[in-house]
Amino acid sequence: MSDSRRANFGSKIGIILASAGSAVGLGNIWRFPCQVGENGGAAFILVYLCCIVLLGIPVMVSEFLIGRRSHANTGSAYEVLSPGTQWKWIGIFGVISSFLILSYYAVVAGWTLEYMIASAAGMFSKNQDFTLFFNNFVSDPVKPVMYMVIFMLLTHFIIVKGVKDGIEKFSKVMMPLLLLIICVLVVCSFSMPGSIEGLRFLLKPDFSKVTSKVILDAMGQAFFSMSIGMGCLCTYASYFTKDANLFKTAGSVALIDTLVAVMAGFIIFPAVFSVPGLSANAGPGLVFVTLPNVFQLAFHSVPWLGYLFSLMFYILLVLAALTSTISLHEVTTAFLHEKFNMSRRKAACCMTAICIFLGTFCALSFGMLGSWKLFGMTIFDLFDFVTAKLFLPLCGMFIAIFTGWYLDKKIVRDEVTNGGRLHIGFYGLFIFLLKFVAPICIGSIFINELLK
Ligand code: TRP
């Protein structure tokens, strides 16, 4: 595809914020605390941080350079860089992952929409049992499906508007605002009576809890949270300008993403240990049950402030989820648009229809279809497992092998140094991580888990 026909992001800060917009989302605020709770706290967080630095950042830079160099969507990027080889399967798996992830992600995004409306109606200022509220809502046969569909349509309309106007402008306003409100909530949560117990859970590692399952979960979470391993960022990078510094962008995105995730932990866990009846390993409902309690308890003497914060928080959560669903949607839309010469609008319609269809099953798996199980997992859990724990790390491993071993090093160096204009001191380390550390670590964790 020629340069002139493809859109570009307008500014460097726009590039960072759009990528961070993709990375920061429900993965940080909903999935991260849920995984931390299920995997025992501080030790999991440490493994997670190692995964971000040793695997996440190098793979992210690889995705960036593949996308920018090929100037193509994920599905075609590998064919452009290595025509006629089997590497194209990485791209194809990326496209498959994108609609599998979007289908169940949109369900949780729909929940946030319901919570935003409920908080606008003053639900979270009233005294009530939030566990019951959550359980009744997710098992309802209509509401979760309806909200999922609304969310998919919102994503659809922004995607149809195109890259620069839709994605970039939106992220520029949203990201700073989200960071601000998260800081306020951390302070609120710290002020709750039992918060010390929660801090201990987050900060005092118990290494006896680190099993190969914990490592696999941490690795999957790192890939999921940074949006890597399926070509989301590769697609975005195809819109990057030539002077974008790939390492700096990856570093900034990783930093913002990790900060938001860890702060989400600092909001949730002090509260979990302060409120009787809440448990750290409550699964997907954790955030949805815990947060309303924070709003209610921390602000019980000034209810209007609680109302204001809960409303602002859910609005921002919806927006954060939206910047992520946009990036997932863009992967397949760009693929269909460029590969099959469909109009952007038609390509987007196909993607939206597929995701609404699959998403309906995921949404109902908390109620009506709760008994439909495969390998002991509901449809929702199965989608999460297959994508976050199988596809993302595996594709990540192949991306590392592709860049580390296969791709001409002249191309790699040229891209990360912007044609020799930037000095990258740790280039050798970067290649070493891609060549040896990523494939060996990811491969051995897999073999370990599968042989069990
Ligand atoms: N990273 C996003 C989040 O944390 C979700 C997401 C967007 C994603 N694009 C992705 C996850 C690509 C995996 C792959 O909410």
Side-chain angles (χ1 to χ4, degrees), residues 286-358:
L286 178 67
V287 170
F288 289 91
V289 174
T290 311
L291 273 175
N293 280 297
V294 177
F295 294 125
Q296 200 180 53
L297 292 174
F299 296 102
H300 65 277
S301 49
V302 253
W304 65 270
L305 214 62
Y307 176 82
L308 196 72
F309 273 121
S310 66
L311 183 59
M312 266 166 64
F313 178 79
Y314 285 113
I315 292 176
L316 288 171
L317 193 55
V318 166
L319 296 180
L322 201 52
T323 48
S324 301
T325 51
I326 290 168
S327 74
L328 286 162
H329 202 300
E330 178 67 21
V331 173
T332 303
T333 304
F335 172 69
L336 294 176
H337 171 55
E338 288 170 7
K339 181 99 184 166
F340 300 108
N341 251 337
M342 277 186 196
S343 70
R344 252 190 91 84
R345 183 179 294 272
K346 220 189 216 165
C349 283
C350 289
M351 177 64 175
T352 305
I354 296 175
C355 290
I356 288 182
F357 176 73
L358 294 175

Side-chain angles (χ1 to χ4, degrees), residues 6-22 64 71 162-172 232-244 249 323 326-327 330:
R6 281 182 71 93
N8 264 324
F9 283 126
S11 64
K12 282 190 203 167
I13 186 76
I15 285 176
I16 295 182
L17 291 181
S19 311
S22 163
F64 281 162
H71 236 256
V163 187
K164 197 163 156 189
D165 286 339
I167 303 173
E168 190 180 345
K169 273 197 190 133
F170 192 66
S171 309
K172 264 190 189 165
C232 233
L233 296 180
C234 171
T235 303
Y236 269 24
S238 70
Y239 310 124
F240 281 8
T241 46
K242 282 272 160 269
D243 61 346
T249 309
T323 48
I326 290 168
S327 74
E330 178 67 21

